[in-house]
Amino acid sequence: MKQKEQLEGIRAEAEAALHSIETLEELDNVRVKFLGKKGDLTAVLKTMGSLSPEERPVVGQLANKIRGEITENIEKKAMELKAAQQEARLLAETIDVTLPGSPVEIGHEHPLSLVLDEVKEIFMGMGFEIAQGPEVEWDYYNFEALNIPKDHPARDTQDTFYITDNMLLRTQTSGTQIRVMEEKKPPIRMIAPGRVYRSDAVDATHSPLFHQIEGMAIDEGITMGDLVGTLETFAKKLYGSDTRIRLRPHHFPFTEPSCEIDVSCFKCGGKGCSMCKNEGWIEILGAGMIHPQVLHNGGIDPEKYSGFAFGLGLERLVMFAYEMDDMRMLYENDMRFLEQF
Ligand code: PHE
């Protein structure tokens, strides 16, 4: 039976071939040569027709056995070659950990955060806690509970972005007054910094997004004197001990009486300069004694308790602190500007 010899020959040849190859490509050539459709093994099987019925299964079995062996050896070799390749790559790609790294640029706080932190420090030093309210707010907290019903003219200056008829982007942090009243019992001393929104066009002094810091104190016997003392202390801490404040009568629907508060110009000391537009004074906040109805809306008895509230514009503070004349610089993320702080 020459087929038997041929098959044994193929087995030996394949073994030798596998022994000497070095790449996966060569391995594939070996597979095609011995096991492929036009390969050596198939060629032998095609001659089976000349065999006797007794011989056929014997040769068939041997052919299958050899096919199995060669296949197994090819797989083994493939694994070996892949492992060797991987090994070589790992060696070639070794990282030199002694090389100096590329420098990591460390950022720093934004001027808005720097000034906010300073303001927080000052009020925390006076026993105020930090509170927070949501930026997406109910009409109720932003307006209604602050004595600004739907048709109140004060809404004209605080047009905003509405989510629904009753839900909006808050126009002021004053809604946190009510939220804190609902949660705490007097004595209360809190400041609530955060983003507020108004549908204003962008210019040097306006932005549809800006920041306020709300402040509030409620207890038995709180008077306008406490308001003045607290904000004077704040102004002196922020701008220096020579700083004076002055109150101008104003109107807010949720405070009574209400005022706006100016600080003496920290650049010229009050003589008049370009910073204060020759006024000697710079307006920094709105304030007043919390309206009894507002206390009532917050669940606090106005017969027993009184309180003051104030609202600071953070951007204004920052712009004065760093003598900036364009608010847009605070939002543009221009590194040439931000790197200066
Ligand atoms: N919320 C007012 C504003 O945005 C400021 C303010 C706060 C006035 C608290 C009085 C008391 O103009």
Side-chain angles (χ1 to χ4, degrees):
M1 261 195 298
K2 73 173 195 308
Q3 282 89 344
K4 230 173 162 178
E5 277 153 42
Q6 282 172 334
L7 287 172
E8 293 295 353
I10 289 173
R11 174 192 258 161
E13 238 184 282
E15 208 169 300
L18 282 175
H19 205 72
S20 62
I21 64 165
E22 276 168 10
T23 67
L24 285 166
E25 227 177 16
E26 286 171 339
L27 186 66
D28 202 48
N29 291 339
V30 168
R31 189 185 55 77
V32 173
K33 177 172 176 354
F34 293 103
L35 306 180
K37 270 198 202 118
K38 292 180 183 158
D40 295 358
L41 205 71
T42 316
V44 176
L45 292 177
K46 276 183 184 153
T47 65
M48 296 251 287
S50 64
L51 294 172
S52 67
E54 296 82 42
E55 288 171 329
R56 248 179 251 160
V58 180
V59 172
Q61 262 174 19
L62 182 62
N64 278 338
K65 188 164 171 250
I66 289 174
R67 177 188 292 280
E69 276 173 24
I70 297 176
T71 307
E72 202 176 303
N73 288 338
I74 286 177
E75 274 165 15
K76 235 192 257 165
K77 191 78 187 178
M79 291 218 299
E80 272 170 40
L81 289 173
K82 277 182 194 156
Q85 249 179 16
Q86 167 96 332
E87 182 82 357
R89 207 172 56 229
L90 285 176
L91 278 175
E93 286 175 2
T94 311
I95 296 165
D96 181 352
V97 291
T98 65
L99 280 176
S102 40
V104 176
E105 277 197 58
I106 309 247
H108 58 78
E109 276 173 299
H110 190 277
L112 282 168
S113 304
L114 287 170
V115 174
L116 175 58
D117 282 350
E118 216 175 314
V119 173
K120 280 186 188 165
E121 278 296 311
I122 295 172
F123 281 106
M124 275 155 64
M126 293 192 275
F128 283 69
E129 288 174 39
I130 313 285
Q132 255 188 335
E135 289 168 35
V136 177
E137 181 60 288
W138 296 109
D139 185 283
Y140 174 76
Y141 288 105
N142 196 77
F143 290 132
E144 292 276 344
L146 296 171
N147 288 341
I148 312 172
K150 286 263 192 293
D151 55 358
H152 196 286
R155 291 203 180 204
D156 291 350
T157 56
Q158 300 200 9
D159 193 14
T160 183
F161 307 91
Y162 284 81
I163 314 293
T164 68
D165 276 353
N166 289 317
M167 195 191 276
L168 43 78
L169 296 187
R170 65 177 178 184
T171 61
Q172 49 186 355
T173 45
S174 299
T176 56
Q177 289 183 32
I178 305 292
R179 287 184 171 273
V180 171
M181 285 180 212
E182 285 177 348
E183 272 187 12
K184 295 204 160 157
K185 297 218 168 331
I188 297 172
R189 270 175 291 179
M190 71 88 181
I191 59 164
R195 294 192 192 99
V196 297
Y197 303 83
R198 293 187 192 177
S199 44
D200 287 339
V202 176
D203 66 23
T205 54
H206 291 88
S207 160
L209 180 164
F210 58 104
H211 300 75
Q212 287 188 336
I213 304 162
E214 195 74 12
M216 176 174 84
I218 303 173
D219 201 353
E220 285 181 54
I222 296 270
T223 68
M224 198 82 180
D226 297 307
L227 168 66
V228 174
T230 303
L231 293 175
E232 196 169 46
T233 305
F234 165 70
K236 286 183 189 297
K237 289 233 164 92
L238 191 66
Y239 294 119
S241 52
D242 292 338
T243 312
R244 288 157 293 135
I245 64 168
R246 79 172 179 188
L247 279 63
R248 281 178 292 103
H250 198 77
H251 170 77
F252 296 106
F254 39 94
T255 46
E256 181 58 36
S258 305
C259 62
E260 281 187 327
I261 297 188
D262 303 337
V263 291
S264 54
C265 179
F266 38 83
K267 197 164 182 205
C268 63
K271 286 195 281 297
C273 66
S274 61
M275 180 84 159
C276 56
K277 302 208 178 83
N278 276 319
E279 297 267 341
W281 296 93
I282 292 168
E283 182 210 319
I284 59 161
L285 57 85
M289 297 306 290
I290 302 171
H291 196 291
Q293 181 62 45
V294 173
L295 285 171
H296 178 78
N297 293 344
I300 287 176
D301 180 4
E303 297 293 333
K304 187 166 180 209
Y305 296 106
S306 57
F308 65 77
F310 58 89
L312 280 154
L314 181 58
E315 276 75 359
R316 271 182 83 79
L317 291 187
V318 173
M319 287 171 72
F320 284 121
Y322 299 115
E323 297 187 29
M324 293 171 53
D325 52 16
D326 196 330
M327 188 167 157
R328 284 168 286 200
M329 301 298 284
L330 291 171
Y331 309 117
E332 280 170 355
N333 289 333
D334 185 334
M335 290 303 281
R336 290 168 302 178
F337 169 72
L338 294 174
E339 269 165 3
Q340 299 173 63
F341 298 94

